[in-house]
Amino acid sequence: MATQISSKPSSSRVILVTGASGGIGEAVIRRLRRDGARIAAFDVLPVRSSRAVLSLHGDATCEADVVNAVARTVDRHGRLDALVHAVGRVGSGGIEACSLEQWRAQLAVNLDSAFLFCRAAAPHLAASQGSVVLFSSTNGRTGGSAVSGVAYAVAKAGILNLARFLAREWAEAGVRVNCIAPGPVDTAMLDRLGESGRARLLNTIPLRRFSTADQVAAQVAFLLSDDCAAVSGEVFNTSGALVLD
């Protein structure tokens, strides 16, 4: 039986999903809609979704676009119960290959956007005693590598501490904040590596398997559910034993 994502009727839940056109974002929307949630889907690219989903177009690094997306969600549905921030963009190379412009752009997409959405959503999440799921990466825990780039690794480490900071700051309001730190996920993001690169990456994972987007989406649903009502400030490690705490 599917996990319900709130003690309230599932059809009353309103969840804003960012990075909605990506492989993980699309899978999260499918899963949460299956559980009965009402979805607002935000992305800079067109969102491939049904008419039942509120599609929001904008730049996640633009404060005005972020504030507008949250406002439109609340205007449409009257509340906001959860935020799932799945915006992300990888880079490549070491520090000497990274220009200041590239550094700032990577931090803006991967870290600033999470800050902007969390800040804009804060009063609405407090009103509903809602929940947030942010996305880090194994790169944010291990230091990363040139495969995804220095700025990506640093930004994803920042996401970890943003989740922990907000978990403490928002606890009194009853808002939970958790983080998923996936290893490689079998989405289009891995296509840049080519077949040989994918094979080499797979061989670094002890379980010798990539996570799927649907598996990650199930983890999101779990973290938003009443089964995790006492869980906040945690990092969900899903790396096939690539990272061990």
Side-chain angles (χ1 to χ4, degrees):
M1 184 173 67
T3 300
Q4 293 298 305
I5 55 178
S6 174
S7 57
K8 296 187 285 290
S10 59
S11 60
S12 72
R13 295 281 294 180
V14 178
I15 303 176
L16 173 57
V17 179
T18 75
S21 70
I24 290 176
E26 288 186 340
V28 167
I29 290 171
R30 286 195 304 269
R31 173 56 190 257
L32 297 180
R33 285 201 63 221
R34 192 181 84 192
D35 288 349
R38 291 177 289 172
I39 303 296
F42 177 94
D43 206 293
V44 70
L45 299 174
V47 177
R48 297 183 291 273
S49 60
S50 74
R51 294 179 182 176
V53 174
L54 173 62
S55 294
L56 303 167
H57 178 266
D59 180 351
T61 70
C62 172
E63 183 176 6
D65 286 0
V66 170
V67 170
N68 181 62
V70 173
R72 285 186 60 194
T73 301
V74 175
D75 286 347
R76 169 71 68 88
H77 296 296
R79 61 186 299 122
L80 178 63
D81 296 291
L83 168 67
V84 180
H85 184 269
V87 172
R89 183 185 303 160
V90 296
S92 63
I95 193 167
E96 293 181 355
C98 183
S99 68
L100 180 58
E101 181 181 13
Q102 291 170 327
W103 170 268
R104 288 174 172 168
Q106 280 282 302
L107 263 63
V109 170
N110 292 296
L111 183 56
D112 292 0
S113 64
F115 161 76
L116 290 172
F117 268 102
C118 288
R119 188 178 63 175
H124 308 290
L125 294 170
S128 64
Q129 292 193 319
S131 183
V132 177
V133 175
L134 302 178
F135 275 89
S136 180
S137 163
T138 53
N139 288 269
R141 309 185 79 186
T142 66
S145 71
V147 173
S148 296
V150 58
Y152 181 81
V154 171
K156 289 302 184 180
I159 289 287
L160 292 175
N161 226 36
L162 178 62
R164 291 167 175 149
F165 180 93
L166 293 178
R168 286 271 181 85
E169 184 171 79
W170 291 353
E172 188 173 350
V175 179
R176 298 187 300 108
V177 184
N178 291 292
C179 185
I180 297 176
V185 181
D186 196 4
T187 66
M189 191 176 284
L190 293 186
D191 291 347
R192 74 191 193 283
L193 303 177
E195 287 302 317
S196 60
R198 282 173 59 98
R200 285 194 299 272
L201 183 60
L202 187 62
N203 283 332
T204 68
I205 302 172
L207 273 181
R208 297 295 190 270
R209 65 182 66 173
F210 297 131
S211 295
T212 69
D214 286 338
Q215 289 165 347
V216 174
Q219 293 157 14
V220 171
F222 174 64
L223 287 172
L224 295 179
S225 75
D226 282 346
D227 291 335
C228 288
V231 177
S232 192
E234 292 299 319
V235 179
F236 200 108
N237 176 16
T238 173
S239 65
L242 183 62
V243 174
L244 297 175
D245 293 326

